[in-house]
Amino acid sequence: MHFIVTGGAGFIGSNLVRELQQRHPGAWISVIDDFSSASFSNLSGFAGDVVARPCEELDWERHFGRARVDCIYHLASITDTTVQDQRLMVERNVEGFRRLLDYAQSRGMRVVYASSAATYGLAEGLMHEDQVPAPANVYGFSKAVLDNLARHAARNGMPVLGVRYFNVYGPGEAHKGRMASMVYQLYLQMKAGQRPRIFRSGEQARDFVYVKDAVAGTLAAGDGGAPGAYNIGSGASLSFNSLIAALNSALGTGLEPEYIDNPYIGAYQNNTQAELSRSQAELGYSPQWPADKGIADYVSWLEAGCPTLSCWQEPQAPVREVAVPEAFV
Ligand SMILES: NC(=O)c1ccc[n+]([C@@H]2O[C@H](COP(=O)([O-])OP(=O)(O)OC[C@H]3O[C@@H](n4cnc5c(N)ncnc54)[C@H](O)[C@@H]3O)[C@@H](O)[C@H]2O)c1
């Protein structure tokens, strides 16, 4: 088997690569990543190929022309949602996908690409896939264009599926800095003994989805299901106050939130939640990590000194002998 993962040295991409390698020990995996927002350590011990090129510049024919590819997972993207340069955001995110689609379509390959809940914009509450896109920033806009291109390709018979991630958290996100999840940001503050700082009143809520569930949903889209976009969330909405309570419980601390005024009132999303009936029915997606369980698992991984990464650093074992990192079983 042969899989291509763009953005495979990033947060979700490296977790996906690891899971693919575990599920298909004999498979050849090609990662395409320009390392603009990645960490090589996410791929330590990885037994496949890495092409360090931006997707929008890659000559797909030259690299993969004769290869039989089972699925291309396209996760490469500018992920800094605060980037204001509209041309840069749209050009990089959209043109890379267009090139990939051109190549995959001519060879009838299956493609799963990362869409985002950002396409829903500031909408509140349960979000379903048929909602009219209303992106509130150019990042969300670029993802909505990916959805449009995919819909167009699907009309021409191409098996292309979008996974619309909500707020993903988990091992391998540290390189994202201020773009890492609130789970990680608040963990760092609390680990340093500080009271976690959040906007008043702390009852704003997000659909936080553990990366293991995000990966499971992505693989399910690679395995089957009709073309289209699919929500990949936990299906639940967790308030920041509850998130802090879960972190206190996992860390054995009792730190009270420190509330600060929200400067974005009127342009701030109070609540997000993925409606999952389509992903459940079509992909068989069923999240296994409710917030308390996912956060406890993540914190124990962090507290153990990120053991998966050191596990991956074991000397170039043949693919079949790569140890299964416990944190990812
Ligand atoms: N993390 C989340 O909560 C979340 C939510 C919604 C959607 N997504 C989407 O999921 C995907 C993965 O996000 P992530 O959280 O792992 O972020 P990430 O920044 O860790 O991963 C993105 C990866 O893509 C690479 N990359 C960026 N532009 C590239 C290009 N033009 N060519 C090749 N490689 C490029 C980066 O180096 C990085 O490795 C992205 O498409 C992102 O938009 C993530």
Side-chain angles (χ1 to χ4, degrees), residues 129-201:
E129 291 91 341
D130 292 332
Q131 229 162 279
V132 178
N137 57 26
V138 67
Y139 165 78
F141 174 79
S142 74
K143 293 291 185 180
V145 177
L146 262 59
D147 290 341
N148 295 344
L149 286 176
R151 206 175 305 114
H152 187 66
R155 269 190 225 117
N156 295 327
M158 187 176 175
V160 52
L161 289 82
V163 278
R164 211 165 263 175
Y165 299 128
F166 280 65
N167 291 55
V168 189
Y169 66 96
E173 62 170 319
H175 67 276
K176 292 183 72 176
R178 65 193 171 87
M179 283 296 129
S181 71
M182 276 301 284
V183 178
Y184 186 60
Q185 312 280 356
L186 293 172
Y187 162 83
L188 289 179
Q189 292 173 25
M190 294 167 74
K191 184 70 187 156
Q194 296 160 4
R195 288 175 60 191
R197 283 162 63 89
I198 54 175
F199 291 148
R200 207 178 309 281
S201 64

Coordinates of all heavy atoms in Angstrom, one line a residue, residues 129-201:
E129 N -23.3 20.1 8.3 CA -22.5 20.3 7.1 C -23.2 21.1 6.0 O -22.5 21.7 5.1 CB -22.1 18.9 6.5 CG -21.0 18.2 7.4 CD -21.7 17.2 8.4 OE1 -22.9 17.4 8.7 OE2 -21.0 16.3 8.9
D130 N -24.5 21.1 6.0 CA -25.2 21.8 4.9 C -25.4 23.3 5.2 O -26.0 24.0 4.4 CB -26.6 21.2 4.7 CG -26.4 19.8 4.1 OD1 -25.4 19.5 3.5 OD2 -27.3 18.9 4.4
Q131 N -24.9 23.7 6.4 CA -25.0 25.1 6.7 C -24.3 26.0 5.6 O -23.3 25.6 5.1 CB -24.3 25.4 8.0 CG -25.0 26.1 9.0 CD -24.4 25.9 10.4 OE1 -24.6 24.9 11.0 NE2 -23.6 26.8 10.8
V132 N -24.8 27.1 5.3 CA -24.2 28.0 4.3 C -22.9 28.5 5.0 O -22.9 29.0 6.1 CB -25.1 29.2 4.0 CG1 -24.4 30.2 3.0 CG2 -26.4 28.8 3.4
P133 N -21.7 28.4 4.2 CA -20.5 28.8 4.8 C -20.5 30.3 5.1 O -21.0 31.1 4.3 CB -19.4 28.5 3.7 CG -20.1 27.7 2.7 CD -21.6 27.8 2.9
A134 N -19.9 30.7 6.2 CA -19.9 32.1 6.6 C -18.6 32.4 7.3 O -18.6 32.9 8.4 CB -21.1 32.5 7.5
P135 N -17.4 32.1 6.6 CA -16.1 32.3 7.3 C -15.9 33.7 7.8 O -16.2 34.7 7.1 CB -15.1 31.9 6.2 CG -15.8 31.9 4.9 CD -17.3 31.7 5.2
A136 N -15.4 33.8 9.0 CA -15.1 35.1 9.6 C -13.7 35.6 9.4 O -13.4 36.7 9.7 CB -15.5 35.1 11.1
N137 N -12.9 34.8 8.8 CA -11.5 35.2 8.5 C -11.0 34.5 7.2 O -11.7 33.6 6.7 CB -10.5 34.9 9.7 CG -10.5 33.4 10.0 OD1 -10.8 32.5 9.2 ND2 -10.2 33.1 11.3
V138 N -9.9 35.0 6.7 CA -9.5 34.5 5.4 C -9.0 33.0 5.5 O -9.1 32.3 4.4 CB -8.4 35.4 4.8 CG1 -7.1 35.4 5.5 CG2 -8.2 35.1 3.3
Y139 N -8.6 32.6 6.6 CA -8.3 31.2 6.8 C -9.5 30.3 6.5 O -9.5 29.4 5.7 CB -7.8 30.9 8.2 CG -7.7 29.5 8.6 CD1 -6.7 28.6 8.2 CD2 -8.7 28.9 9.4 CE1 -6.7 27.3 8.5 CE2 -8.7 27.6 9.8 CZ -7.7 26.8 9.3 OH -7.7 25.4 9.7
G140 N -10.6 30.7 7.2 CA -11.9 29.9 7.0 C -12.4 30.1 5.5 O -12.9 29.1 4.9
F141 N -12.1 31.2 4.9 CA -12.5 31.4 3.5 C -11.7 30.5 2.6 O -12.3 29.9 1.7 CB -12.2 32.9 3.1 CG -12.4 33.2 1.7 CD1 -13.7 33.3 1.2 CD2 -11.3 33.2 0.8 CE1 -13.9 33.6 -0.2 CE2 -11.5 33.4 -0.5 CZ -12.8 33.6 -1.0
S142 N -10.4 30.4 2.9 CA -9.6 29.5 2.0 C -10.1 28.0 2.2 O -10.1 27.3 1.2 CB -8.1 29.6 2.4 OG -7.8 28.9 3.6
K143 N -10.5 27.6 3.3 CA -11.0 26.3 3.5 C -12.4 26.1 2.8 O -12.7 25.0 2.3 CB -11.2 25.9 5.0 CG -9.9 25.9 5.8 CD -9.1 24.6 5.3 CE -7.8 24.5 6.2 NZ -7.1 23.3 5.8
A144 N -13.2 27.2 2.8 CA -14.5 27.1 2.1 C -14.2 26.9 0.6 O -15.0 26.2 -0.1 CB -15.3 28.3 2.4
V145 N -13.1 27.5 0.1 CA -12.8 27.4 -1.4 C -12.4 25.9 -1.6 O -12.7 25.3 -2.7 CB -11.7 28.4 -1.8 CG1 -11.3 28.2 -3.3 CG2 -12.2 29.8 -1.6
L146 N -11.6 25.3 -0.7 CA -11.3 23.9 -0.8 C -12.5 23.1 -1.0 O -12.6 22.1 -1.8 CB -10.5 23.4 0.4 CG -8.9 23.4 0.2 CD1 -8.3 24.7 -0.1 CD2 -8.3 22.8 1.5
D147 N -13.5 23.4 -0.1 CA -14.8 22.6 -0.2 C -15.4 22.8 -1.5 O -16.0 21.8 -2.1 CB -15.7 23.1 0.9 CG -15.3 22.7 2.3 OD1 -14.5 21.8 2.5 OD2 -15.8 23.4 3.3
N148 N -15.4 24.0 -2.1 CA -16.0 24.2 -3.4 C -15.3 23.4 -4.5 O -15.9 22.8 -5.3 CB -15.9 25.7 -3.8 CG -16.7 26.6 -2.8 OD1 -17.6 26.1 -2.1 ND2 -16.5 27.9 -2.9
L149 N -13.9 23.4 -4.4 CA -13.2 22.7 -5.4 C -13.5 21.2 -5.3 O -13.6 20.5 -6.3 CB -11.7 22.9 -5.2 CG -11.1 24.3 -5.7 CD1 -9.6 24.4 -5.3 CD2 -11.3 24.5 -7.2
A150 N -13.6 20.7 -4.1 CA -13.8 19.3 -3.9 C -15.2 18.9 -4.4 O -15.4 17.9 -5.0 CB -13.7 19.0 -2.4
R151 N -16.2 19.8 -4.1 CA -17.5 19.5 -4.6 C -17.6 19.4 -6.1 O -18.2 18.5 -6.7 CB -18.5 20.6 -4.1 CG -19.9 20.2 -3.9 CD -20.8 21.2 -3.3 NE -20.3 21.8 -2.1 CZ -19.8 23.0 -1.9 NH1 -19.9 23.9 -2.9 NH2 -19.4 23.4 -0.7
H152 N -16.8 20.3 -6.7 CA -16.8 20.3 -8.2 C -16.1 19.0 -8.7 O -16.6 18.4 -9.7 CB -16.0 21.5 -8.6 CG -16.0 21.7 -10.1 ND1 -17.1 22.1 -10.8 CD2 -15.0 21.7 -11.0 CE1 -16.8 22.2 -12.1 NE2 -15.5 21.9 -12.3
A153 N -15.0 18.6 -8.1 CA -14.3 17.4 -8.5 C -15.2 16.2 -8.3 O -15.2 15.2 -9.1 CB -13.0 17.2 -7.8
A154 N -16.0 16.2 -7.2 CA -16.8 15.0 -6.9 C -17.9 14.9 -7.9 O -18.3 13.8 -8.3 CB -17.4 15.2 -5.5
R155 N -18.4 16.1 -8.4 CA -19.4 16.0 -9.5 C -18.9 15.3 -10.7 O -19.7 14.7 -11.5 CB -19.9 17.4 -9.8 CG -21.1 17.9 -9.0 CD -21.7 19.2 -9.5 NE -21.9 20.1 -8.4 CZ -21.4 21.2 -8.2 NH1 -20.5 21.7 -9.0 NH2 -21.7 21.9 -7.1
N156 N -17.6 15.4 -10.9 CA -17.0 14.7 -12.0 C -16.6 13.3 -11.7 O -15.7 12.7 -12.3 CB -15.8 15.5 -12.6 CG -16.2 16.8 -13.1 OD1 -17.3 17.0 -13.7 ND2 -15.3 17.9 -12.9
G157 N -17.1 12.8 -10.6 CA -16.9 11.4 -10.2 C -15.7 11.1 -9.3 O -15.3 10.0 -9.1
M158 N -15.0 12.2 -8.8 CA -13.8 11.9 -8.0 C -14.2 11.6 -6.6 O -15.0 12.3 -6.0 CB -12.9 13.2 -8.1 CG -11.6 13.0 -7.5 SD -10.6 14.4 -7.6 CE -9.2 13.8 -6.7
P159 N -13.5 10.6 -6.0 CA -13.7 10.3 -4.6 C -12.9 11.2 -3.7 O -11.8 10.9 -3.3 CB -13.3 8.8 -4.5 CG -12.3 8.6 -5.6 CD -12.6 9.6 -6.6
V160 N -13.5 12.3 -3.4 CA -12.8 13.3 -2.5 C -13.7 13.7 -1.3 O -14.9 14.1 -1.5 CB -12.4 14.6 -3.4 CG1 -13.5 15.2 -4.2 CG2 -11.7 15.6 -2.5
L161 N -13.1 13.6 -0.2 CA -13.9 13.8 1.1 C -13.2 14.8 2.0 O -12.0 14.8 2.1 CB -14.1 12.5 1.9 CG -15.0 11.4 1.3 CD1 -14.3 10.6 0.2 CD2 -15.5 10.5 2.4
G162 N -13.9 15.7 2.5 CA -13.4 16.7 3.4 C -13.7 16.4 4.9 O -14.8 16.0 5.2
V163 N -12.7 16.5 5.7 CA -12.9 16.3 7.2 C -12.9 17.6 7.8 O -11.8 18.3 7.8 CB -11.9 15.3 7.8 CG1 -12.3 13.8 7.6 CG2 -10.5 15.5 7.3
R164 N -14.0 18.0 8.4 CA -14.1 19.4 8.9 C -13.9 19.3 10.4 O -14.8 19.1 11.2 CB -15.6 19.8 8.6 CG -15.7 21.3 8.4 CD -17.1 21.6 7.8 NE -17.0 21.8 6.4 CZ -18.1 22.0 5.6 NH1 -19.3 22.0 6.2 NH2 -18.0 22.1 4.3
Y165 N -12.6 19.5 10.7 CA -12.1 19.4 12.1 C -12.7 20.6 13.0 O -12.7 21.7 12.5 CB -10.6 19.4 12.3 CG -9.9 18.3 11.6 CD1 -8.8 18.6 10.7 CD2 -10.2 17.0 11.8 CE1 -8.1 17.6 10.0 CE2 -9.4 16.0 11.1 CZ -8.4 16.3 10.3 OH -7.7 15.3 9.6
F166 N -13.0 20.2 14.2 CA -13.3 21.3 15.2 C -12.0 21.6 16.0 O -11.0 21.7 15.3 CB -14.5 20.9 16.0 CG -15.8 21.1 15.3 CD1 -16.1 20.4 14.1 CD2 -16.7 22.1 15.7 CE1 -17.3 20.7 13.4 CE2 -17.9 22.4 15.0 CZ -18.2 21.7 13.8
N167 N -12.1 21.8 17.3 CA -10.9 22.3 18.0 C -10.1 21.0 18.4 O -10.4 20.4 19.5 CB -11.2 23.1 19.2 CG -11.8 24.5 18.8 OD1 -12.7 24.5 18.0 ND2 -11.2 25.5 19.2
V168 N -9.0 20.7 17.7 CA -8.3 19.5 17.9 C -7.2 19.8 18.9 O -6.5 20.8 18.9 CB -7.7 18.9 16.6 CG1 -7.1 17.5 16.8 CG2 -8.7 18.9 15.5
Y169 N -7.0 18.8 19.9 CA -5.9 18.9 20.9 C -5.3 17.6 21.0 O -5.9 16.6 20.7 CB -6.5 19.4 22.2 CG -7.4 18.5 22.9 CD1 -6.9 17.6 23.9 CD2 -8.7 18.4 22.6 CE1 -7.7 16.6 24.5 CE2 -9.6 17.5 23.2 CZ -9.1 16.6 24.1 OH -9.9 15.7 24.7
G170 N -4.0 17.6 21.5 CA -3.3 16.3 21.8 C -1.9 16.4 21.5 O -1.3 17.4 21.1
P171 N -1.2 15.2 21.7 CA 0.3 15.1 21.5 C 0.7 15.6 20.1 O 0.1 15.4 19.1 CB 0.5 13.6 21.6 CG -0.6 13.1 22.5 CD -1.8 14.0 22.1
G172 N 1.8 16.4 20.1 CA 2.4 16.8 18.8 C 2.0 18.2 18.4 O 2.3 18.6 17.3
E173 N 1.4 19.0 19.3 CA 1.0 20.3 18.8 C 1.9 21.4 19.4 O 1.6 22.6 19.1 CB -0.5 20.6 19.3 CG -0.7 20.6 20.8 CD -2.1 21.0 21.2 OE1 -2.6 22.0 20.6 OE2 -2.7 20.4 22.1
A174 N 2.9 21.1 20.1 CA 3.7 22.1 20.8 C 4.3 23.1 19.8 O 4.4 24.3 20.1 CB 4.8 21.5 21.7
H175 N 4.7 22.7 18.6 CA 5.4 23.6 17.7 C 4.4 24.7 17.2 O 4.9 25.7 16.6 CB 5.8 22.8 16.5 CG 4.7 22.2 15.7 ND1 4.1 21.0 16.0 CD2 4.0 22.7 14.6 CE1 3.1 20.8 15.1 NE2 3.0 21.8 14.3
K176 N 3.1 24.5 17.5 CA 2.2 25.5 17.0 C 2.1 26.8 17.8 O 1.5 27.8 17.4 CB 0.8 24.9 16.9 CG 0.6 23.9 15.8 CD -0.8 23.3 15.7 CE -1.7 24.3 15.0 NZ -3.1 23.7 14.8
G177 N 2.8 26.8 18.9 CA 2.9 28.0 19.8 C 1.6 28.5 20.1 O 0.7 27.8 20.6
R178 N 1.4 29.8 19.9 CA 0.1 30.5 20.3 C -1.1 29.9 19.5 O -2.2 30.2 19.8 CB 0.2 32.0 20.2 CG 0.4 32.5 18.8 CD 0.8 33.9 18.7 NE 1.1 34.2 17.3 CZ 0.3 34.6 16.4 NH1 -1.0 34.8 16.7 NH2 0.7 34.8 15.1
M179 N -0.8 29.1 18.4 CA -1.9 28.5 17.7 C -2.2 27.1 18.2 O -3.1 26.5 17.7 CB -1.5 28.4 16.2 CG -1.6 29.7 15.4 SD -3.3 30.3 15.4 CE -3.1 31.9 16.0
A180 N -1.5 26.7 19.2 CA -1.8 25.4 19.8 C -3.2 25.5 20.5 O -3.7 26.6 20.7 CB -0.7 24.9 20.7
S181 N -3.8 24.3 20.8 CA -5.1 24.3 21.4 C -5.2 25.1 22.8 O -4.2 25.2 23.5 CB -5.6 22.9 21.6 OG -4.9 22.3 22.6
M182 N -6.4 25.5 23.1 CA -6.6 26.1 24.5 C -6.2 25.0 25.6 O -5.8 25.4 26.7 CB -8.0 26.5 24.7 CG -8.3 27.9 24.1 SD -7.3 29.2 24.9 CE -8.1 29.4 26.5
V183 N -6.4 23.8 25.3 CA -6.1 22.7 26.2 C -4.6 22.8 26.6 O -4.2 22.8 27.8 CB -6.4 21.3 25.7 CG1 -6.1 20.2 26.7 CG2 -7.9 21.2 25.3
Y184 N -3.8 22.9 25.5 CA -2.3 23.0 25.8 C -1.9 24.3 26.4 O -1.1 24.4 27.3 CB -1.6 22.8 24.4 CG -0.1 22.7 24.6 CD1 0.5 21.7 25.4 CD2 0.7 23.6 23.9 CE1 1.8 21.6 25.5 CE2 2.1 23.5 24.1 CZ 2.7 22.5 24.8 OH 4.0 22.4 25.0
Q185 N -2.5 25.4 25.9 CA -2.2 26.8 26.5 C -2.5 26.8 28.0 O -1.6 27.3 28.8 CB -2.9 27.9 25.8 CG -3.0 27.9 24.3 CD -1.7 28.4 23.6 OE1 -0.8 28.9 24.4 NE2 -1.6 28.3 22.3
L186 N -3.6 26.3 28.3 CA -4.0 26.4 29.7 C -3.2 25.4 30.6 O -2.8 25.7 31.7 CB -5.5 26.1 29.9 CG -6.4 27.2 29.3 CD1 -7.9 26.8 29.3 CD2 -6.2 28.6 30.0
Y187 N -2.9 24.3 30.0 CA -2.0 23.3 30.7 C -0.7 24.0 31.0 O -0.2 23.8 32.2 CB -1.8 22.1 29.8 CG -0.6 21.2 30.2 CD1 -0.7 20.3 31.3 CD2 0.6 21.4 29.7 CE1 0.4 19.6 31.7 CE2 1.7 20.7 30.1 CZ 1.6 19.8 31.1 OH 2.7 19.0 31.5
L188 N -0.1 24.7 30.1 CA 1.2 25.3 30.3 C 1.1 26.3 31.4 O 2.0 26.3 32.3 CB 1.7 26.0 29.0 CG 2.2 25.1 27.9 CD1 2.6 25.9 26.7 CD2 3.3 24.1 28.3
Q189 N 0.1 27.1 31.5 CA -0.1 28.1 32.5 C -0.2 27.4 33.9 O 0.4 27.8 34.9 CB -1.3 29.0 32.3 CG -1.2 29.9 31.1 CD -2.5 30.6 30.8 OE1 -3.3 30.9 31.6 NE2 -2.7 31.0 29.5
M190 N -1.0 26.4 33.9 CA -1.3 25.7 35.2 C -0.1 24.9 35.7 O 0.2 24.8 36.9 CB -2.5 24.8 35.1 CG -3.8 25.7 34.8 SD -5.2 24.7 34.3 CE -5.7 23.9 35.8
K191 N 0.6 24.4 34.7 CA 1.8 23.6 35.0 C 2.9 24.5 35.7 O 3.6 24.1 36.5 CB 2.4 23.0 33.7 CG 3.6 22.1 33.9 CD 3.2 20.8 34.6 CE 4.4 20.0 34.8 NZ 4.3 19.1 35.9
A192 N 2.8 25.8 35.2 CA 3.8 26.8 35.8 C 3.3 27.4 37.1 O 3.9 28.3 37.7 CB 4.0 27.9 34.8
G193 N 2.1 26.8 37.6 CA 1.6 27.3 38.9 C 0.8 28.5 38.8 O 0.4 29.1 39.8
Q194 N 0.5 29.0 37.6 CA -0.3 30.2 37.4 C -1.8 29.9 37.3 O -2.2 28.8 36.8 CB 0.1 30.9 36.1 CG 1.5 31.4 36.1 CD 2.0 31.6 34.6 OE1 1.3 31.5 33.7 NE2 3.3 31.9 34.5
R195 N -2.6 30.9 37.7 CA -4.0 30.7 37.5 C -4.3 30.8 36.0 O -3.8 31.7 35.4 CB -4.8 31.8 38.3 CG -4.8 31.5 39.8 CD -5.4 32.7 40.5 NE -6.8 32.9 40.1 CZ -7.6 34.0 40.5 NH1 -7.0 34.9 41.2 NH2 -8.8 34.1 40.1
P196 N -5.1 29.9 35.5 CA -5.4 30.0 34.0 C -6.2 31.2 33.7 O -7.3 31.5 34.3 CB -6.1 28.7 33.8 CG -6.7 28.3 35.1 CD -5.8 28.8 36.1
R197 N -5.8 32.0 32.7 CA -6.5 33.2 32.3 C -7.4 32.9 31.1 O -7.0 32.5 30.0 CB -5.4 34.2 31.8 CG -4.7 34.9 33.0 CD -3.4 35.5 32.5 NE -3.6 36.6 31.6 CZ -3.8 37.9 31.9 NH1 -3.8 38.2 33.2 NH2 -4.0 38.8 31.0
I198 N -8.7 33.3 31.3 CA -9.7 33.1 30.2 C -10.6 34.3 30.2 O -10.7 35.1 31.2 CB -10.5 31.8 30.4 CG1 -11.1 31.8 31.8 CG2 -9.7 30.6 30.2 CD1 -12.1 30.6 32.0
F199 N -11.3 34.5 29.1 CA -12.3 35.6 29.0 C -13.4 35.3 30.0 O -13.9 34.2 30.1 CB -12.8 35.7 27.6 CG -11.8 36.2 26.6 CD1 -11.8 35.8 25.3 CD2 -10.8 37.1 27.0 CE1 -10.9 36.3 24.4 CE2 -9.8 37.6 26.1 CZ -9.9 37.2 24.8
R200 N -13.9 36.4 30.6 CA -15.1 36.4 31.4 C -16.3 35.9 30.6 O -16.4 36.3 29.4 CB -15.4 37.8 31.9 CG -16.1 38.0 33.2 CD -16.3 39.5 33.6 NE -15.0 40.2 33.5 CZ -14.1 40.2 34.5 NH1 -14.2 39.5 35.6 NH2 -13.0 40.9 34.4
S201 N -17.2 35.1 30.9 CA -17.4 34.5 32.2 C -16.8 33.0 32.3 O -17.1 32.3 33.3 CB -18.9 34.4 32.5 OG -19.5 33.5 31.5

